[in-house]
Amino acid sequence: MAERTLLVLFGSQTGTAQDTAERIGREAKRRHLHCRVEALDSCDVANLIHEPLVVFVCATTGQGDPPDNMKMFWRFLFRKNLPAGSLCQLDYAVLGLGDSSYPKFNFVAKKLHKRLLQLGGNPLLPVALGDDQHDLGPDAVVDPWLVTLWDKILALYPLPPGLEIISPDVCLPPRYTLHYLPEDSPHPDSELLQPTAPRAAPCELHPFAARVVSNQRVTAQSHFQDVRLIEFDIADSGITFSAGDVVMIQPQNCPEDVQLFCQLLRLEPHRRFVLQPTEPGTSLPPLLPQPCTIQYLATHYLDISCVPRRSFFELLAYFSTNELEREKLQEFSSAQGQEELYSYCNRPRRTTLEAMWDFPHTTCAIPADYLLDLIPCIRPRAFSIASSMLARPERMQILVAVVRYKTRLSKPRRGLCSTWLASLNPEQGDIWVPLWVKKGGMKFPADPATPVIMIGPGTGVAPFRAAIQERVALGRRGNCLFFGCRNKSKDFYCQTEWEELVTKGFLTLFTAFSRDQEEKVYVQHRIRENGRLVWELLSSGNAHIYLAG
């Protein structure tokens, strides 16, 4: 009988596709299939020719682009020299997650399905196109599609004699078990957060711990928005970047949240443990040291401030000893309860920690072994780099608007990364931030004679500050910037820097301060007023236009 193995591969930007892929993995285990769930770029694409059964779960980002963790796979799959029948032994299914308010809705899933077909793959069923815009979210498509998928898979790979599908009432074993170390076991000398000089260029698995040099508020104290210009020391990091590139920053939870989390779950923050995979072949989480403390796990790894997904409530329901709480959790994890879940979680942006607070009897009964199944890991945040290496060789700057807003919940919502960054005070001692650099989507012209028109309202001006610094260092003059903000006196970022460059003849600057007069004035008004100049730069100067916001 054919070996009952399934490979689930995902391309995920915000974590939804990964969450769905892990759900398919759990459903496969209930059907006694040997299943691996991996990011597309983590698997060896050349081995696809040996895989009998693969489910692809892919999100579409931006303007029809593949997510970052499937870019290498995407390039390989569309190579011209791949033979037409190379995937003829592959049974596959593609599940797309997208948003129909974008013109290239589920573009990646549609194109992947078509390409696998070209290479000889055999689709088990038509591509599924999950839609964020649907009242029930992508699950409206995903749920019925999965029912059909399992029918097809079980027809090809029937259950072994004597085995039945594991009932949804039974909780599956955790991915890892936590083994506490005796309290008197020796501590390793290495401090978990000390910076280490990496051998290769820093990346997600090996970030560089950059020292914070300065953290300066660049909006007036009276202004409603707190915006920071933060500078990092990247000497000896091996990091290089150019204008338009992006820095990825790995944030951490605030101490108050970590303390509350440990209290709710009755965990001792300083207990040390090692993780052991439940099944052979499961790799350990790459960013967790072994051994590790509960405090480190809750500070640096578990995303307790994210809005919890349906799968969170589904797993939580198994641990509930309280009937009322269990009923509510089961409702939130059912297909019928998705609207209710949306108004409980997504609309008010309720965090995982707040949801745990609302289910206290269940929360204190969560076995520590299940923490990594229950709560996703903290995702890195991307920021446009706001400085040039040509101007400041061993430094990197970012412009950060601190995210803070109100919903119907009494406590204001705060962005995890921006709030953490704003709280760092380098005057109180050395502070290290884990970061690495990614190529950005903006490429500035190589020809020094090509003029550049940049439109950057608010913190959207960040990549243009990098570009202008770079171009000025190379002696290039055709720089035209349209900048917009609310008030000249409150949020005109880098004002003196721009004015100096205007005086030196390196920059043509147009500003729109929307609230400084009766009539609101925005960058588009300034572009219209200066239409003749813009047209001249485009028609005779072959100018490039860039927009960031």
Side-chain angles (χ1 to χ4, degrees), residues 449-470:
T450 307
V452 173
I453 300 168
M454 294 161 277
I455 305 155
T459 52
V461 79
F464 303 137
R465 182 170 180 259
I468 291 165
Q469 283 185 1
E470 195 167 283

Side-chain angles (χ1 to χ4, degrees), residues 111 188 223 340 357 513:
K111 200 169 170 184
H223 191 56
E340 178 111 7
W357 173 267
F513 305 113

Side-chain angles (χ1 to χ4, degrees), residues 127-138:
V127 58
L129 306 176
D131 185 7
D132 254 352
Q133 291 298 316
H134 193 283
D135 288 346
L136 300 175

Side-chain angles (χ1 to χ4, degrees), residues 357-380:
W357 173 267
D358 284 348
F359 293 89
H361 300 91
T362 308
T363 296
C364 68
I366 297 169
D369 288 347
Y370 280 95
L371 286 175
L372 284 91
D373 294 87
L374 191 64
I375 304 170
C377 63
I378 298 174
R379 294 188 163 266

Side-chain angles (χ1 to χ4, degrees), residues 51-334:
E51 291 291 343
L53 180 61
V54 182
V55 175
F56 297 87
V57 185
C58 315
T60 295
T61 66
Q63 306 302 314
D65 304 312
D68 291 333
N69 62 6
M70 68 176 280
K71 284 198 156 81
M72 294 186 312
F73 167 83
W74 200 243
R75 276 198 295 272
F76 180 90
L77 200 70
F78 285 91
R79 274 171 31 180
K80 298 272 192 292
N81 60 355
L82 295 183
S86 47
L87 295 180
C88 59
Q89 83 324 318
L90 174 72
D91 289 328
Y92 74 91
V94 176
L95 166 52
L97 296 171
D99 183 324
S100 58
S101 66
Y102 284 81
K104 295 206 165 176
F105 171 57
N106 264 316
F107 183 74
V108 170
K110 292 172 188 169
K111 200 169 170 184
L112 172 62
H113 184 78
K114 204 168 155 186
R115 180 61 173 153
L116 294 168
L117 206 53
Q118 279 176 352
L119 294 171
N122 168 45
L124 292 178
L125 65 174
V127 58
L129 306 176
D131 185 7
D132 254 352
Q133 291 298 316
H134 193 283
D135 288 346
L136 300 175
D139 287 344
V141 168
V142 175
D143 290 356
W145 185 83
L146 282 178
V147 172
T148 316
L149 176 73
W150 293 124
D151 287 347
K152 300 265 185 190
I153 289 177
L154 287 180
L156 288 170
Y157 301 93
L159 284 165
L163 285 182
E164 288 184 9
I165 294 175
I166 300 170
S167 155
D169 302 332
V170 176
C171 186
L172 291 170
R175 264 182 308 178
Y176 307 103
T177 48
L178 252 80
H179 293 272
Y180 285 114
L181 300 178
E183 305 222 5
D184 53 1
S185 63
H187 282 240
D189 294 333
S190 66
E191 176 48 47
L192 295 175
L193 266 180
Q194 254 343 79
T196 48
R199 298 156 304 290
C203 60
E204 184 162 6
L205 295 182
H206 303 284
F208 175 72
R211 187 174 60 84
V212 179
V213 178
S214 61
N215 181 351
Q216 175 197 352
R217 180 170 171 142
V218 289
T219 43
Q221 286 298 333
S222 60
H223 191 56
F224 77 99
Q225 176 124 57
D226 181 358
V227 177
R228 302 300 178 105
L229 183 66
I230 301 176
E231 182 167 71
F232 302 105
D233 180 352
I234 55 162
D236 305 322
S237 64
I239 288 176
T240 58
F241 59 87
S242 46
D245 285 350
V246 165
V247 61
M248 305 300 293
I249 290 181
Q250 186 66 42
Q252 60 186 57
N253 293 310
C254 71
E256 301 75 44
D257 283 357
V258 171
Q259 190 182 355
L260 178 59
F261 175 80
C262 290
Q263 282 169 359
L264 286 173
L265 280 97
R266 301 180 182 171
L267 295 167
E268 292 176 44
H270 300 293
R271 278 306 295 273
R272 290 162 67 244
F273 64 87
V274 288
L275 280 185
Q276 287 185 349
T278 314
E279 287 184 8
T282 307
S283 53
L284 289 168
L287 291 170
L288 269 188
Q290 288 265 60
C292 181
T293 62
I294 292 288
Q295 175 119 22
Y296 188 94
L297 177 73
T299 304
H300 299 278
Y301 192 82
L302 299 175
D303 196 353
I304 55 179
S305 77
C306 72
V307 176
R309 301 174 190 275
R310 176 178 167 180
S311 57
F312 169 83
F313 296 97
E314 197 178 307
L315 184 51
L316 212 49
Y318 288 111
F319 311 132
S320 192
T321 49
N322 176 288
E323 201 179 331
L324 261 169
E325 288 187 8
R326 187 169 59 248
E327 278 175 15
K328 196 70 194 165
L329 292 165
Q330 284 168 341
E331 182 189 347
F332 281 161
S333 51
S334 70

